[in-house]
Amino acid sequence: MTWIWANLDLIWDRTLDHVVLSVPAIVLSFIIALPIGWLAHRYRASRGVILTVVGLLYAIPSLPLFIILPIIVGTSTRSPLNLVIALTLYGVALMVRVVADGLASVDLDVRQSASAVGFSTWTEFWQVELPLSGPVLLAGLRVVAVSTVSLATVGAVIGVQSLGSLFTDGFQRGIQAEIIAGIVATVVLALVFDALLVYAGRLLMPWTRSRAATTVTDNAAGSVSTAATPASENRSREIAR
Amino acid sequence: MNFFAEALQWLVDPANYVGLNAIPLRLAQHLGFTVVTLVIASAIAIPLGFLIGHTGRGRSVAVASAGAFRAIPTLGLLTLVALSIGIGLNAPYIALTVLAVPPILAGAYTGFEAIDRRTIDAARAVGMSEVQIVRQVEVPLGLPLLIGGLRSAALQVVATATLAAYVADFGLGRYLFAGLKTRDYAEMLGGSILVILMALALEGLFALTQRFVVPRGVLAGRPTDIRTRSSRPRPVMESAIEEGQKNVHSK
Amino acid sequence: MIEFHSVTKRFPDGTVAVDDFSLVLPSHKTTVFVGTSGSGKTTLLRMINRMVDPTSGSIDIDGADIGTLDPVKLRRSIGYVMQNSGLLPHRKVVDNVATVPMLRGMSRKKARDEALQLLDTVGLDRSLAERYPSQLSGGQQQRVGVARGLAVNPNILLMDEPFGAVDPIVRAELQQELLRLQHELGKTVVFVTHDIDEAFLLGDQVVILRTGGKVAQVGSPGEILANPADDFVSTFVGAERGKRSLHLENHGAGDVLVDGDGRLAGVLVPGSKAGPLAGSGASAQGGDPR
């Protein structure tokens, strides 16, 4: 404990390092995964290829990737950029499948009625499919955020500073408190990100909060989702019968 | 790409096939470690997961702890255990078993949960005992998701076993850390390639198994398949004439 | 014979599904529980094989209180057919039918042989035996469900809205098939439905239930139609709408039956064919000109 009180500055600095590594990776992986996931959802031919590739990508252990990647992209092994790219790759690998599943989870009736009332592919994606798959995407993004924060610590063994540096340093110098502080700080950071995402989800998807709170809004997403509820209700009632 | 040529050379260099640092030995260590860890973790997680899945009790605890475990950094756990009980193989075993339990547990109980409640209700109504329901209905129908859980646990273990070389002289990770220390790119790249190949091989093996263990009847008429295929061929509303022409063509 | 003695079921959340229910279900007859959702009809059915245990009261089968019997053994001696068939998706049709006999210790070969015979009984081609349930149509699955229910040659057959999920044409077919089977086998059938026409068609004894598991009326279809106990019953059976109050009209060429709205309901034929349901189920089924 005394070590922790004496080194709060150090923990804070490593936390900031950690944020700088993980936030860009989380944001980038979401942005990159959207079009790829859409492709995987939209065409059967691309689906198999894309999902296989991201599956294999995700299977690659982190440390070897951290080592191989700089040789391919030409950064230095110890460069934070190298780590951000690697973390983004993992995030994309996770998120693409989620995007594809999320889009597929949108009720077929809703999609058909959307095209029937005249949405173009583009507007339908942004105003119907994306918002309605929002809850699934959010769940996926939460997993990405938590695992990115956890994974970023591994960079410490190749010399990229993060909260993981507290593990390597603590291990080498035999300071247990330092390692524990690093674990706790990592978990707390992951929980903070998670909470932020949940909060953002509530702001962006007010209709998921509760049925009773749903008010008819002018924006298309809101009205489509209220229209969607009876349909899905019917379906579940059919199953229940 | 020079580095890769060197790595390949390192991989075939006979010098790397003898002694305590021989590639086959390291491979066997890594694989053996992975298998043993998975077996121990399964012995703990599968019965527990079946119990949770069958009774529905303790589910919220399991979900919450699975989430918490995902947030725990593997390297932190590894170094902490190693520091507490001393450098050696025990630390990685303990740390990795702890890490492998949650995905297997989740695979076991979500496999049960994914089964149509009516199927289980019917099995009970025709007179299956609880044990028979578990063995004849829930286990076979839940198997694909359980294998999925084992699959992610295996990947997790292979990856973290590489990190374990940081705290113990063991497995393929040794090449990576030795190479990092001496700036020997051939060695660390060659080691990395070996780890990746092993991970991909395991992934492929599990993917195959997963396909095989899906009960045939479940595969036979899975409605989700139909749904993926039938996703709208034409999302855009076009003029009636164009629509008509398309219909002509499709005939 | 199944006897309900003052049976009450209160679920943990406080809802009363069945309230002080007493009834005798005669052997070799079909008793139909009919009512809207929430009337406790399924709960009543599921109490007979102890899928649900009553909060108070008791149920006897042939004089033995089932509360004292082992639920698993009891269930294996009672046929059960549910909506959506409830077949095991990972077992072939023939193995689904053979499941319960095998649970009771019959050899696999014998059980499968008998299962094939049962497929004949319920009117399914044996070529379907090696298929998986998901490869059958809804109506075929339902027939397999019935075959499974009959597999241990039970005295009692419980049927929980078995034809609720199939389309009307197939449903009518299955209903006729059940009547034929029941004529041949003479089981004690307990049938749950929310369709009054189905109840009158299949039931020797019909129990109309209202919300909260209270009995509105018990009787043969004829008795209920001729003398509805109250407004609830007459609304439920459709007498009020005039759908079932038929009268004769002379159309020159002969007499025809016309319902309360003036729609043609059928013709009157000499009594030889009339069974116990004459004038109720039969006429309700009669040629609606639509």
Side-chain angles (χ1 to χ4, degrees):
Chain A
M1 279 310 279
T2 46
W3 182 92
I4 294 177
W5 292 124
N7 291 277
L8 279 176
D9 285 355
L10 177 73
I11 297 173
W12 179 244
D13 285 348
R14 293 294 91 80
T15 307
L16 289 183
D17 289 338
H18 209 96
V19 171
V20 169
L21 289 172
S22 45
V23 169
I26 296 167
V27 174
L28 279 174
S29 55
F30 181 66
I31 294 171
I32 297 172
L34 268 186
I36 304 178
W38 181 82
L39 268 181
H41 158 70
R42 185 70 175 73
Y43 303 104
R44 218 198 320 169
S46 51
R47 180 184 175 82
V49 177
I50 291 175
L51 291 186
T52 309
V53 169
V54 296
L56 293 179
L57 184 62
Y58 191 67
I60 295 176
S62 53
L63 185 56
L65 186 69
F66 292 163
I67 288 174
I68 286 186
L69 203 61
I71 297 170
I72 298 173
V73 299
T75 54
S76 130
T77 309
R78 288 163 182 263
S79 145
L81 183 63
N82 170 34
L83 205 67
V84 172
I85 295 173
L87 292 175
T88 307
L89 280 177
Y90 284 122
V92 168
L94 255 175
M95 206 56 209
V96 163
R97 178 168 273 282
V98 172
V99 173
D101 290 351
L103 292 176
S105 76
V106 176
D107 199 284
L108 194 66
D109 296 341
V110 173
R111 277 189 277 152
Q112 278 176 345
S113 63
S115 19
V117 300
F119 280 96
S120 70
T121 312
W122 180 253
T123 48
E124 188 189 320
F125 175 77
W126 287 107
Q127 300 190 6
V128 182
E129 293 185 328
L130 192 61
L132 286 187
S133 52
V136 179
L137 299 190
L138 178 65
L141 200 57
R142 290 173 65 186
V143 174
V144 169
V146 170
S147 65
T148 302
V149 168
S150 163
L151 211 52
T153 58
V154 176
V157 299
I158 56 166
V160 180
Q161 287 206 326
S162 68
L163 284 169
S165 309
L166 301 180
F167 306 150
T168 49
D169 190 58
F171 178 67
Q172 270 151 16
R173 293 163 57 196
I175 307 172
Q176 214 168 26
E178 187 173 1
I179 301 178
I180 293 171
I183 294 178
V184 171
T186 313
V187 172
V188 168
L189 190 61
L191 292 180
V192 168
F193 282 7
D194 192 54
L196 284 176
L197 283 170
V198 171
Y199 184 67
R202 285 204 190 140
L203 281 185
L204 290 171
M205 298 180 290
W207 65 90
T208 56
R209 258 175 280 173
S210 84
R211 178 89 51 77
T214 310
T215 47
V216 180
T217 54
D218 285 338
N219 91 32
S223 48
V224 166
S225 74
T226 39
T229 325
S232 46
E233 240 179 16
N234 276 343
R235 182 141 304 165
S236 51
R237 205 176 304 139
E238 247 165 55
I239 292 165
R241 258 199 287 140
Chain B
M1 290 296 116
N2 218 2
F3 290 118
F4 283 101
E6 279 176 41
L8 282 180
Q9 216 163 21
W10 179 87
L11 279 175
V12 295
D13 185 354
N16 290 326
Y17 285 82
V18 289
L20 280 176
N21 206 24
I23 290 174
L25 186 68
R26 292 287 184 204
L27 259 176
Q29 278 178 349
H30 208 109
L31 195 62
F33 179 87
T34 304
V35 171
V36 170
T37 313
L38 281 180
V39 168
I40 300 173
S42 300
I44 300 167
I46 293 180
L48 196 59
F50 283 174
L51 196 69
I52 294 172
H54 182 73
T55 61
R57 280 188 207 134
R59 189 183 173 274
S60 45
V61 178
V63 172
S65 57
F69 267 103
R70 200 170 332 151
I72 291 181
T74 53
L75 184 64
L77 194 62
L78 213 50
T79 48
L80 183 65
V81 178
L83 205 56
S84 317
I85 67 169
I87 296 174
L89 268 184
N90 284 339
Y93 270 121
I94 293 172
L96 285 191
T97 305
V98 170
L99 290 171
V101 163
I104 301 175
L105 187 72
Y109 74 74
T110 53
F112 278 22
E113 281 172 2
I115 303 167
D116 192 337
R117 289 298 103 189
R118 291 172 309 196
T119 302
I120 293 165
D121 185 69
R124 191 169 287 130
V126 301
M128 282 194 181
S129 66
E130 297 306 304
V131 176
Q132 284 164 335
I133 291 174
V134 171
R135 282 170 52 173
Q136 300 187 26
V137 183
E138 290 179 322
V139 168
L141 289 176
L143 209 50
L145 281 177
L146 173 62
I147 303 286
L150 281 168
R151 180 180 174 175
S152 44
L155 287 179
Q156 168 93 291
V157 171
V158 168
T160 315
T162 320
L163 278 181
Y166 188 76
V167 298
D169 176 13
F170 138 97
L172 295 169
R174 232 26 241 169
Y175 298 131
L176 278 65
F177 286 108
L180 274 170
K181 198 170 275 177
T182 59
R183 303 238 152 203
D184 183 344
Y185 277 93
E187 186 178 18
M188 66 177 161
L189 207 50
S192 298
I193 290 170
L194 287 174
V195 176
I196 291 174
L197 286 181
M198 180 186 267
L200 294 183
L202 270 178
E203 167 79 358
L205 198 69
F206 272 105
L208 271 181
T209 321
Q210 212 167 357
R211 192 159 296 184
F212 272 113
V213 299
V214 177
R216 278 190 57 211
V218 178
L219 209 61
R222 201 161 32 180
T224 48
D225 283 358
I226 299 161
R227 191 158 242 229
T228 0
R229 273 185 228 118
S230 72
S231 75
R232 294 156 295 113
R234 291 186 299 275
V236 194
M237 288 282 284
E238 294 178 2
S239 77
I241 297 166
E242 278 169 322
E243 289 285 339
Q245 276 171 342
K246 268 188 191 159
N247 283 338
V248 171
H249 286 303
S250 62
K251 278 169 199 164
Chain C
M1 189 169 65
I2 306 167
E3 292 163 275
F4 286 83
H5 299 298
S6 317
V7 170
T8 296
K9 178 66 193 181
R10 192 176 292 108
F11 283 110
D13 66 356
T15 30
V16 177
V18 174
D19 190 14
D20 194 25
F21 180 88
S22 294
L23 185 74
V24 175
L25 287 68
S27 295
H28 312 299
K29 298 285 183 202
T30 301
T31 298
V32 180
F33 292 133
V34 60
T36 52
S37 48
S39 60
K41 53 191 192 301
T42 295
T43 306
L44 280 171
L45 181 92
R46 288 164 70 89
M47 283 200 243
I48 298 172
N49 67 351
R50 293 200 60 187
M51 287 295 282
V52 176
D53 280 327
T55 314
S56 66
S58 67
I59 299 163
D60 294 354
I61 293 180
D62 295 332
D65 181 356
I66 62 166
T68 64
L69 304 176
D70 172 35
V72 169
K73 274 193 189 142
L74 176 72
R75 288 170 200 157
R76 285 179 192 176
S77 67
I78 295 178
Y80 190 89
V81 185
M82 64 192 282
Q83 193 186 15
N84 292 307
S85 74
L87 299 173
L88 300 178
H90 59 305
R91 292 193 179 172
K92 292 171 179 171
V93 163
V94 61
D95 295 318
N96 259 293
V97 178
T99 296
V100 191
M102 282 171 62
L103 288 178
R104 303 223 296 187
M106 190 185 279
S107 77
R108 182 178 157 85
K109 193 182 172 317
K110 187 156 185 280
R112 282 175 68 106
D113 283 348
E114 293 191 359
L116 287 176
Q117 288 170 21
L118 277 166
L119 291 185
D120 299 341
T121 311
V122 299
L124 277 178
D125 195 276
R126 286 189 178 199
S127 67
L128 300 178
E130 298 294 320
R131 300 238 186 121
Y132 288 100
S134 56
Q135 296 168 320
L136 304 186
S137 72
Q140 287 169 334
Q141 287 183 25
Q142 232 32 72
R143 283 176 194 256
V144 178
V146 174
R148 180 176 67 175
L150 294 171
V152 289
N153 194 21
N155 292 322
I156 298 171
L157 190 59
L158 307 180
M159 307 186 85
D160 185 6
E161 298 202 38
F163 311 142
V166 295
D167 67 64
I169 295 173
V170 176
R171 187 183 312 152
E173 218 170 80
L174 291 171
Q175 286 166 346
Q176 291 306 323
E177 197 75 13
L178 181 63
L179 283 174
R180 177 184 67 78
L181 272 177
Q182 175 61 355
H183 188 72
E184 282 172 19
L185 305 173
K187 304 285 182 195
T188 305
V189 177
V190 187
F191 195 103
V192 160
T193 182
H194 58 258
D195 176 355
I196 188 70
D197 289 333
E198 187 166 67
F200 282 165
L201 174 66
L202 301 174
D204 300 308
Q205 173 172 252
V206 173
V207 183
I208 298 181
L209 296 157
R210 64 170 102 225
T211 312
K214 294 193 179 67
V215 176
Q217 191 169 5
V218 180
S220 73
E223 286 162 9
I224 292 175
L225 264 179
N227 192 11
D230 54 23
D231 288 350
F232 174 80
V233 174
S234 41
T235 311
F236 197 79
V237 303
E240 217 172 50
R241 283 174 293 155
K243 197 176 150 206
R244 291 185 197 278
S245 44
L246 308 176
H247 60 275
L248 280 173
E249 265 180 24
N250 193 300
H251 272 235
D255 288 342
V256 290
L257 281 165
V258 176
D259 73 9
D261 294 336
R263 273 191 291 258
L264 197 61
V267 292
L268 205 59
V269 290
S272 65
K273 268 189 178 175
L277 302 181
S280 58
S283 62
Q285 283 288 306
D288 190 330
R290 286 170 296 173

